[in-house]
Amino acid sequence: MALPAASSSSSVKVIYSDPSNVFPLISEGLGARLPLRNLHWNSPSRPLRSIESLFVEFIPDDQNNAGAGSGEGDTVASEARRDPESKKERRHQIPGLRQTPYLKIFLLRCDDIESYKSTWRKTLREWIKANTPPSQSSSSASNQENHDAFEWMIVHVAAFDTTNGPGWPNRALISVIDKVRADFQGSSKSQISRIAQLPVLLSDSRQASKDVSSLARPEREAFRSEAMKAWEDLLVKVKLLILTSFDLRVRQYEEDIKEKGSQRNLPGWNLCTFFILKEGLARGFESVGLVEDALIGYDELSVELQNAINDRKESSTSSTNLFLDFTEELFASISAILASAEEALDTSTKAPGLDFSALDAEQKPYRELILSSSISAFDFQNYVFARQFSLLSRLARLTSTAGRLNEVKDPEDVPLVAEITRRSIVFVTHMGNTMREDLEAALHYNHAKINVSPFLKDSMTEELIALWTYSTCQQILRETTVVSLSKPLQQNLNRTPRQKMPLEPEQFTEANTNTRSPSPKPPVRTSSLQDRSSPVSTSSAQDVFSDNQSHPLRSPIHHQLQHSVRHLAVHRAELYLIARRSLHILGLRHGWKTGWISVIDDNDPANFQNVPLIITSSEVQNESIPFSMGVGMLMLPALYNKTLTKALSSKDAFYLYYEELSLSALELYRLSRTRKFAQSVAADIAVIKFFLKDYEAAATYFKEMVLFYGEENWRFLEANVLRMYAQCLKELDRVDEYINVALEMLAKGVDNNRHAIDNKFRGEAKHSLANMAASSLLGLIETSKKLRKPVFVPLQSYFRKVSLNPYIQHLEDQDGFQMILNLLCVMSDEVIADWVKIHIISNNDKQPWEIHLASAEHVPLTLGELQIPVVAKAMFPGWYMIETITISCANIVFKYEGRRLNKGVGGVPYGMQDQPSFGQATLEQSLIRVWPEPGALRVHVGLCREIHLEQLRSIMLEISSGHNNINFGELLVRAGSAGLRLQTSDVEVIEGDTRIIYDAPTGLIRFECIAENSVLKVRIPYRLENDTKEISVRTEVTYSTVDGNYTYGDVYNLSVLLPLGVNVQDIFKRRSLFSKFAISASTPIPLRLLACRVEGTDDFEAASTPLKRSGLFISQKQPVSMACKITRKTRGFSVKRVPERRLSMHIEYQCLDEEICAAFSNTFLTDLGTGKFAKFVRLLQPWAEMVIRSRLLNYDLDVIGLSREIDLGTFDDFGWQRLLEGMPVSTRVDLGLWLHEWHQKRQVVGLPHHISGLLRYIIIPVDVPEMHVVHSARLGFFQRSPRLDESPGVLAVGEIVSAELILKHSRQWDTGQVVGKGKRSSLGFYYEIETNPETWLVAGQRRAFFSAMEDQVVTFPVILIPQRPGHLPYPGIEIRHAEEKHGQESTEGPLTLNCDVDYQSQGESIHVVRDLGSTTIGLDVDGPRTDDAQLIMSARTERATELAS
């Protein structure tokens, strides 16, 4: 039976001598235990290496074998005959070229000891002597022989017959193996054991038994155990002996390599010899399965080889004999091609030298050529890479590795496969240059044999390189196919719509290489190649961006792919592009352009200088080339590859194959998430589609590319893509998309030539500016009329230097204003715009105004700088910024869209003071100040100056027509605060002859005919649903004059807090009511109270305290108290009429803030006068009032109110500089100087006592409290002691005093509704004396019930005892009504009356003193303690003694 075969480079050889022909007896058991597993090699100079499996090739030694060539060892014996070492040949002197065994085994069969002694002992000694390994020899050549070091071993095959011989165990066989060990093992314990025994059972004399059933049970168990141990012992010894031989060889190689390496700089040193020596070590590593170490050796050799080649290029004397100047096979190929130029072209034959694989290291005798230094640099590098590729493929477990190791079932190592492809890319690109140098050298040294044109030589060279590159990429891609990449790629292929065409067997597109699978039915992918005569259907091309289809650049990315798989995809894509480049080079010889070169204008000589693509007849004559060697001969090299033969058979086939390679690379790039590379390949596909007039498919790719190039800011490529995209859309008659793309292309042209635009008006680049637009704007405008809706494009992309003069210009005798739009038109065509409009918006969110400016109709847009006036007939004062600028040309609208800036308080933008020049700001930063001229319409909104708290509050709206003669107008009043409800239907004209139209919608007030310089004042009531301190009112007046319609609007913020507060305290007397009113300011703004009175009614009369003419100053810290006496005009009961109890309090006042603003305005307007700055009054005055009001809280308003003057501050305090930024520079400077001077002159402004129009009125309702009963009470002392007589008003502490409580009540303040009917009847009351027990002790009726009629006097005796000295107030009195219950039949509830007490003793007091007369205290001055005091005597007064008794 034959053992498993293995590659010679992946196994070790073991030679066995079998004179007894016993190898067939053990071959089955030995084959079952191969390859050897888990070998561990430990070298002193290297880390521990583990060999998972080692293939062993057993070769018989024909000289010592009996019956060789017969039996079951025929296969192994036949291999031995073919082995070069089995023949007696002279060994090569270079050890790296030899392949020798690592172990030699003698198979011994001896059944008895006598036979051993007589025959086999001598045979073994002679065999051992003939096969003593070099490591055990003492000769001087042993060191060199260590390159072929081996070990020997004796295996005793203990075979016995179960039918005739003795049973197991056989004592004779045991004695034989012991004798062999004694003779040949040696006595040293450190010596390696080389003796082993294998027990074998024989069923007859010819074959081994397959079971042990013939043995008895005990013998059978013993045999199995002994056989298992014997096999384990044999395998252990074989592993040890093989590793021992391998270690000796490695050490010898390392020593020789070190020695040869140290002689590198000596004369005669040869790289080829060193290469063979070092490769021998690498092959040794490979033979035992240490592929990584072998690969490291070849990597080092690759570096050595490249250094030698570089040295050879730099110096003509260095390494001149190492390599051949050129490769004979390549020269033979190009010679054969050129020699057949004058003959008929025979495509059935191939030129020599090109039919070989770049990855096959066995195709040539490379090692012999290297040893003899008869190898070229091209072959040398090709051999080294083939060996590296083989080792890497083995490590990566590629199933296609030379058809070997197909039994390996492990998946591919994707990172290593990626490394293989990376190295392959470097190899292919580098070898192209090496091959070019090789062919040039061949043609140079043999120029006498080949007399052709240099151009033809170059063409042939490039074509041969392209052919070799294409074939090599084909092999690499086929060999590096992995399942890990095939599955996700196949999913993408199924999503991508592809064209269909049968593939050739040699074609290596990703459709074939990546769909192979170990399953019986691998997935099949159709190719994108099909006959170009069948056009692409419109539906399939349009569905690329549909929901059900995925665009080639937008298909889903597999996020779960490993990083190494993505790297592999990138490298394979690069290999496809290298192959595509080769196809591109071959196609150029036919004049078939690819990529961007296919769309460049061939008529432009600057695009193709000194780049001949096709040999024409004139070139042939000029170069003295036979005409038969024209264009056709240039395609001969392509015929040595079937794929290239078909690809170059026609123009359509060429572009189809080019597209297929591009699509394969595109799919791989998409899989690896390399978007930029994918876009680059997609661009090539799109250009090919465009060149072949497949506009539908080309437009699909161009659409995605435009977005990508725009994001990456690749201007030149984007412009060219837009040009082709526009042409595709035009051919497809897609008007909407064509206009959009053409406009975008035009914008890119403007942007790419911006430097020429900036210099045009200096006399430079005029031609470039006039011809920058690739398409006519006039044509686009005419085409846009077919559109159903306009197309909006950015204004600044088509016009340069776009700016808006931020300074408004008031129209003469009109309320509008105009602005100037500046722009630079770079279009060579003269275009008439339909209109130009500018939309500016307020920079303050609280004032969301919008102003539209428009130009006249039909504005000409000519080449050069333009100034376009735009007019606005709306006036909304404030700061503005540009929202949009639009220029309409048919259905093409050029539009600029601005952005909002940060806002500041009061509409003043932050950072204005930091801007050096307002006019230098860009469109995004431009701020525009809008204000009306003095004679324009004016609107003022404020609260009504007369407030009645019992009525709806109102706002006063004043419209001043100015120089306008208004025919008709509409006033739109809107609430700007939540909860504010304006009742415009109840509007009331306060001043003016204008008629109001009351049938207007809610919020709109229509009026007629306001004459010039007239005023209209109206009052509008309002309600507040929420408690708020301030309301906002937005007004917008639209009015019609003879000059047109105008609009004016503004927003007004009004404080609705009452500036003052009133508190009242009522004091009832018997005949009158005294009310005390405390008036104070409810806000920090002080007031000036000018008048305050309470007006009576028909039933009550009021008398108020008069005020002085200048009024009283009131603030939060300084309130004012006013008293009012109220009396009834009539008395008695009346059942017919209820008395009017509500009085009204009238207050006239002025607010200090209004006085300050009015005084400032009068002074400022007077000083401003009617000079040249009077036209800015509507700008300066509101700003100044806003600043003053914002600074009021910083002033000491109490001091201002009392001193009647205010300090204005400086120029900087008012922030005039920020306001002046909105004016032209000249005006800004002059007005700034005038304001500086004005502040120096007017540092203090006085407040006059009377300013017209500032007086405010407020009417507050005052109700007379309803009091049913008013009691008059008095406490009098009627029993006086002598002390009281002697000292009136003086009492002693504890002295008893008799007093009398006198009560009387009046019902005058009753309205008659409660007790009016029973006025003469008596009512019940309770009184109670209230006092502090620590002040007075009350004896008697402290609390009692009494009843009395009106004006009836009731008295009660009271005894009082003072408890402490001092001025003690009289005790207080409280009287309450006693509730009365009606009869049982009455349905009315108990009667409850309000009572008040007029306590006449309120505020009176009596002096109480202590009642001690004298006290005597004794002090002992002479005693030890001077602080002791003794009470000697204390005597009471006489009155106190009497009271005490």
Side-chain angles (χ1 to χ4, degrees), residues 980-1000:
L980 176 62
R981 300 293 180 264
L982 297 172
Q983 300 181 357
T984 55
S985 59
D986 299 331
V987 62
E988 179 183 359
V989 178
I990 303 300
E991 181 181 347
D993 299 332
T994 303
R995 187 175 71 89
I996 300 296
I997 302 174
Y998 289 95
D999 60 349

Side-chain angles (χ1 to χ4, degrees), residues 879-1081:
W879 289 99
Y880 287 83
M881 60 184 297
I882 301 173
E883 175 72 6
T884 59
I885 300 176
T886 55
I887 301 177
S888 176
C889 300
N891 277 333
I892 298 178
V893 180
F894 302 94
K895 186 174 183 179
Y896 162 79
E897 294 184 354
R899 60 181 180 87
R900 291 181 177 268
L901 297 176
N902 294 329
K903 285 86 178 175
V905 179
V908 181
Y910 294 124
M912 284 291 298
Q913 64 276 13
D914 300 330
Q915 297 180 6
S917 177
F918 191 87
Q920 296 295 330
T922 61
L923 284 176
E924 290 81 3
Q925 300 173 343
S926 294
L927 290 173
I928 304 165
R929 181 70 185 190
V930 176
W931 77 95
E933 64 173 345
L937 182 134
R938 182 193 301 265
V939 177
H940 177 74
V941 177
L943 294 176
C944 283
R945 296 194 172 274
E946 182 177 347
I947 300 176
H948 200 303
L949 296 184
E950 287 186 323
Q951 300 176 4
L952 288 178
R953 301 181 66 176
S954 304
I955 61 173
M956 182 71 70
L957 194 146
E958 179 181 344
I959 301 176
S960 177
S961 62
H963 56 232
N964 298 289
N965 191 358
I966 301 175
N967 300 324
F968 178 81
E970 291 182 347
L971 172 61
L972 180 62
V973 184
R974 295 179 180 177
S977 302
L980 176 62
R981 300 293 180 264
L982 297 172
Q983 300 181 357
T984 55
S985 59
D986 299 331
V987 62
E988 179 183 359
V989 178
I990 303 300
E991 181 181 347
D993 299 332
T994 303
R995 187 175 71 89
I996 300 296
I997 302 174
Y998 289 95
D999 60 349
T1002 303
L1004 188 64
I1005 302 173
R1006 294 175 177 170
F1007 55 90
E1008 296 179 350
C1009 299
I1010 301 179
E1012 184 179 354
N1013 297 322
S1014 299
V1015 176
L1016 171 64
K1017 291 184 180 180
V1018 296
R1019 181 167 57 190
I1020 303 175
Y1022 70 90
R1023 294 180 182 273
L1024 285 175
E1025 298 178 356
N1026 303 325
D1027 292 335
T1028 182
K1029 298 180 181 180
E1030 188 179 67
I1031 62 174
S1032 178
V1033 179
R1034 179 178 177 178
T1035 63
E1036 185 172 339
V1037 182
T1038 303
Y1039 53 99
S1040 174
T1041 65
V1042 294
D1043 297 325
N1045 297 327
Y1046 298 91
T1047 303
Y1048 179 88
D1050 206 346
V1051 176
Y1052 303 88
N1053 298 319
L1054 308 175
S1055 175
V1056 296
L1057 290 177
L1058 291 177
L1060 52 82
V1062 178
N1063 294 323
V1064 62
Q1065 180 181 3
D1066 295 323
I1067 302 174
F1068 280 94
K1069 297 295 183 178
R1070 181 175 177 81
R1071 301 298 178 187
S1072 60
L1073 170 64
F1074 291 92
S1075 295
K1076 180 182 178 182
F1077 298 95
I1079 304 174
S1080 63

Side-chain angles (χ1 to χ4, degrees), residues 108-113 115-117 120 156-157 172-173 176:
L108 171 67
R109 180 181 179 184
C110 182
D111 298 334
D112 56 86
I113 191 67
S115 177
Y116 169 75
K117 292 180 179 180
W120 292 110
H156 179 224
V157 180
L173 298 178
V176 171

Side-chain angles (χ1 to χ4, degrees), residues 1112-1146:
L1112 298 177
F1113 181 76
I1114 302 175
S1115 65
Q1116 289 181 328
K1117 301 178 182 179
Q1118 186 178 347
V1120 172
S1121 296
M1122 303 294 295
C1124 178
K1125 180 180 179 181
I1126 303 174
T1127 58
R1128 290 196 62 170
K1129 293 182 179 180
T1130 58
R1131 296 192 58 187
F1133 298 93
S1134 176
V1135 296
K1136 297 181 180 180
R1137 185 180 62 86
V1138 177
E1140 178 61 38
R1141 308 183 65 88
R1142 174 154 295 185
L1143 310 181
S1144 60
M1145 184 177 185
H1146 296 253

